[in-house]
Amino acid sequence: MNGQDMVNHFQHLKHEKHEIKTSVHESRCPYCSVQCTMNVHIEKEQHHQAKYIIEGNKADPVTEGRLCVKGLTAHQPAIDERRVKKPLVRLENGLEPIEWGHAYTEIAAKIKMIQQKYGDDAMGCYGSGALTNEKTYLFGKFARLALHTPFIDYNGRYCMSAAAAGSIQAFGVDRGMPFPLEDVPFADVIILAGTNLAECQPTIMQYFRKMKQNGGKIIVIDPRETATCSLADMHLQVRPGYDAALVNGMLKVLLNEGYMNREFVEQRTIGFEELKQHLEHVSLREVEQLTNVSLEQIRAAARLFGGASNAMVLTARGVEQHASGVQNVRNFINLVLLTGKIGRQGSGYGAITGQANGQGGREHGQKADQLPGYRLIENPEHRAHVANVWGVDPTYLPGKGVSAYELFEKIDRGEIKGLIVLASNPVVSSPNSHLIERALRKLELLVCIDLYENETSEAAHYLLPGSSHMEDTGTMTQLEGRVVLRRAMKKLPGKAKMDGTILCELAEHLGAGKWFQYTSNEEVFNELRRATAGGIADYAGISYERLEKGEALFWPCPSEDHPGTPRLFETSFWHADGKARFGVVEHQSPKENREMRYPYLLTTGRVLQHYNAGVLTRMSSELNARVPEPLLEIHPDAASEIGLLNGGYANVQSRRGSIVLKVKLSKKIRSDTVFVGFHWGSEKCINRLTNPMLDPTCRMPEFKACAVRITPAKGVR
Ligand SMILES: Nc1nc2c(c(=O)[nH]1)N[C@H]1C(S)=C(S)[C@@H](COP(=O)(O)OP(=O)(O)OC[C@H]3O[C@@H](n4cnc5c(=O)[nH]c(N)nc54)[C@H](O)[C@@H]3O)O[C@H]1N2
Ligand SMILES: Nc1nc2c(c(=O)[nH]1)N[C@H]1C(S)=C(S)[C@@H](COP(=O)(O)OP(=O)(O)OC[C@H]3O[C@@H](n4cnc5c(=O)[nH]c(N)nc54)[C@H](O)[C@@H]3O)O[C@H]1N2
Ligand code: SF4
Ligand SMILES: [Mo]
């Protein structure tokens, strides 16, 4: 697994008396789903620390050299001195260094003891959309073969699961954006619903600007006037949790005013009659009241969308992270199906993936119900295919496990006794995080494989130092469904190991080594290709060699002479009959409505400068200096009612917990809603408040709406 071979070229510069060696390496940003390519310049002067300078890589066909503020500092989490560089074991005084050999022996012994005492199912695994496809694949295989447990899930459950389930129901396949970004400038109208591109995928803003230069119009649906609203011709400032109601209103207008594409609906869809009957009962007045968006705006938005020759709908977590997330997604898909705006350049529905490998992370087997290639673990044919590639009898493969939050509930109930967490910080990122903290402390074995100590490793018995984006070669599948290769460019620090190596060596100690014999990540990938061949996410034709040549390969790509598939649905959807499904979506309110005791709705999300559970970006002094703590964004009207001042502190309380936050007055948010970023832990962890009600289908929690009470925090500075 040693792939530190990505040195593009070396220059030696004579600089007065000192020699400065400069090397330039290509890498990719570890953060979001755009996966911007970057050139990392390393300047090394004798006896001085190496200096890293990052610049965009103009050869990147998606970003053309653009990077956001996080990308420009992306080396910091890889080189920071605070990285864990030795395996650590928890002893009386906290985490202490231990030799790798001893760590493996002890962990393996503990796992065997747990499994002998409580059964194989007493072990669990928790993964991440930050992992390469290779690591995702290995982790899924590790859980099923080395631990022989059904219990594996990952942080993508909190991220893409509603969009994934909605797309599978409607189209028979889930590829976040089923078309390339290149298509964006060809749209006449785009609805951006619950997506804050300007802060979350800043380097793709260019496509939308181009679309506007071409005369296109953008409708933003968001309870806040975000930076993305700088693109908006129309902003529907919906009440959090009422997107489905809003879309019902738009669908009714589209149908009543003749914007339906009858030919498309008849030839390419199923379920229109049910939708039509359902819309007859929708009252536009009621929609107006529920959403707090005016009827004029709803009509105007529907007409703009319906009248366009080409139009797109893009959603992200704002509409998806609800206990009704799947239904919300289905309704947004109804918009493109009813009007036939899908399957051609400039039209379609897409969900914007979030994590670096948000797409690949959900395709290759770390989801509870899934095997590589988007195969299903409960489907006999799918099991047989993967078992064959792995060289096991299909009956040896466990069945399906449970979703992320339910995994922690199982731990809390004492049903799972040992857990391996790879590249995630669930104590900060899970809803109702008190439960997670409590549950993890009940474990007989918690192993974290990470770059840093984090809030989750506070309960770890072992913390094993893994590999960062700069040290590990592997592929990622970015937001368009394009597979990209990222080469290692620096050595691992101290005694850290490749994440994949750790899994393989641990498997060896568990007596499962025969299934984990690889000499490189490329070899893992080649096995992944075989495991996905003939599946939905078919990578069989994608090779390191083709990626290295710069080929733009979007899955499915079933053979080495196949060009890949940038745009799906041109002639057919992926259900057996080739047709897409309408969904009948009854609007639902947030599971917790505002009431006397909890009169405000809290919604949560991101700020530009920080990333997810914050571990990496909190390491960057630049980013931390810009935004050192979470802020309670609140409208001045609400603040004056409560008695809050800008820069003062407020106590924010839900039925599950309370925290104290600094107040930021903003006229850009609805006065019944407050917004807080989720990038901080402990006393600043907003997930201590959020609602763990889960979507009945995809098990997504309700991160984006819970009822809170807000009071001035006395005596806090
Ligand atoms: N800077 C930065 N960029 C990131 C990340 C990061 O942490 N920081 N994380 C990456 C990841 S993992 C992900 S998943 C993506 C997420 O990307 P986004 O989904 O774009 O980000 P969020 O801030 O979670 O939510 C988007 C918007 O939803 C709005 N919203 C809240 N409630 C509702 C609602 O009920 N209805 C509607 N219509 N809108 C609502 C919020 O006001 C917010 O502006 O970003 C990726 N990029
Ligand atoms: N309230 C609220 N909660 C949310 C959300 C929200 O919008 N609101 N969004 C949800 C979403 S969309 C997401 S994706 C999750 C994310 O939630 P998490 O999974 O907790 O987030 P990350 O911050 O990405 O976790 C990264 C951890 O992995 C480590 N790491 C990163 N890369 C690697 C690697 O290559 N190898 C190893 N070994 N370790 C690595 C980092 O050091 C860090 O400790 O949060 C969810 N939680
Ligand atoms: S955070 Fe996303 S947009 Fe910013 S540089 Fe990294 S990959 Fe690109
Ligand atoms: Mo995410």
Side-chain angles (χ1 to χ4, degrees), residues 155 321 423-425 429 449-450 454 499 604 606 613 687 704:
N155 65 10
Q321 287 174 327
S424 179
N425 191 8
S429 54
I449 307 173
D450 208 293
N454 63 22
D499 293 331
T604 62
R606 291 155 170 83
N687 274 325
K704 289 289 197 263

Side-chain angles (χ1 to χ4, degrees), residues 328-465:
N328 293 347
V329 167
R330 291 297 298 275
N331 229 15
F332 278 103
I333 293 175
N334 283 337
L335 285 173
V336 298
L337 294 181
L338 184 72
T339 55
K341 296 190 205 306
I342 185 168
R344 58 176 187 270
Q345 189 172 52
S347 282
Y349 164 81
I352 298 178
T353 61
Q355 301 184 78
N357 196 22
Q359 183 68 47
R362 68 181 189 271
E363 297 167 355
H364 300 303
Q366 60 177 336
K367 208 170 171 186
D369 60 349
Q370 199 196 60
L371 289 170
Y374 236 127
R375 286 189 158 94
L376 295 176
I377 203 159
E378 305 247 294
N379 175 314
E381 281 167 38
H382 292 191
R383 291 168 69 85
H385 177 90
V386 175
N388 182 38
V389 174
W390 287 353
V392 296
D393 192 283
T395 55
Y396 187 70
L397 295 180
K400 73 174 177 191
V402 297
S403 78
Y405 186 75
E406 291 165 298
L407 192 71
F408 297 113
E409 286 183 320
K410 263 185 164 305
I411 296 171
D412 193 43
R413 289 197 300 268
E415 292 163 20
I416 290 179
K417 302 285 187 186
L419 182 74
I420 301 179
V421 177
L422 174 55
S424 179
N425 191 8
V427 165
V428 175
S429 54
S430 302
N432 189 26
S433 58
H434 284 300
L435 178 132
I436 318 301
E437 277 183 76
R438 181 179 75 208
L440 294 185
R441 299 210 180 267
K442 295 182 184 171
L443 284 167
E444 292 182 18
L445 177 68
L446 174 60
V447 179
C448 292
I449 307 173
D450 208 293
L451 314 176
Y452 289 97
E453 291 190 30
N454 63 22
E455 288 79 358
T456 302
S457 69
E458 279 172 24
H461 300 98
Y462 296 87
L463 174 54
L464 305 180

Side-chain angles (χ1 to χ4, degrees), residues 428 607 610 613 618 627-630 677-682 684-686:
V428 175
V607 300
H610 283 284
R618 280 185 265 141
V627 185
E629 63 177 310
F678 81 102
H679 312 291
W680 291 266
S682 310
K684 297 288 174 192
C685 180
I686 197 63

Side-chain angles (χ1 to χ4, degrees), residues 501-520:
T501 306
I502 299 173
L503 294 177
C504 294
E505 292 181 347
L506 191 52
E508 190 80 49
H509 280 78
L510 288 165
K514 64 178 173 183
W515 294 307
F516 294 88
Q517 298 296 325
Y518 306 96
T519 53
S520 68

Side-chain angles (χ1 to χ4, degrees), residues 31-34 68-70 155 158-160 192-202 220-228 236 238-243 246 315-322 328 332 352-356 358 590 602-614 617 633 669 673 675 678-679 703-705:
Y31 299 120
C32 88
S33 54
V34 188
C68 79
V69 52
K70 289 189 298 310
N155 65 10
Y158 297 152
C159 180
M160 292 300 300
L192 297 176
T195 157
N196 185 8
L197 289 170
E199 298 198 63
C200 295
Q201 290 84 9
V220 171
I221 306 178
D222 197 303
R224 301 185 302 145
E225 188 188 327
T226 60
T228 306
L236 310 185
V238 68
R239 187 177 275 155
Y242 289 94
D243 292 88
L246 179 69
T315 65
R317 307 309 83 78
V319 302
E320 299 159 15
Q321 287 174 327
H322 293 273
N328 293 347
F332 278 103
I352 298 178
T353 61
Q355 301 184 78
L602 164 72
T603 191
T604 62
R606 291 155 170 83
V607 300
L608 172 67
Q609 295 80 0
H610 283 284
Y611 187 74
N612 285 2
T617 43
E633 268 179 54
I669 188 162
T673 303
F675 174 89
F678 81 102
H679 312 291
F703 285 122
K704 289 289 197 263

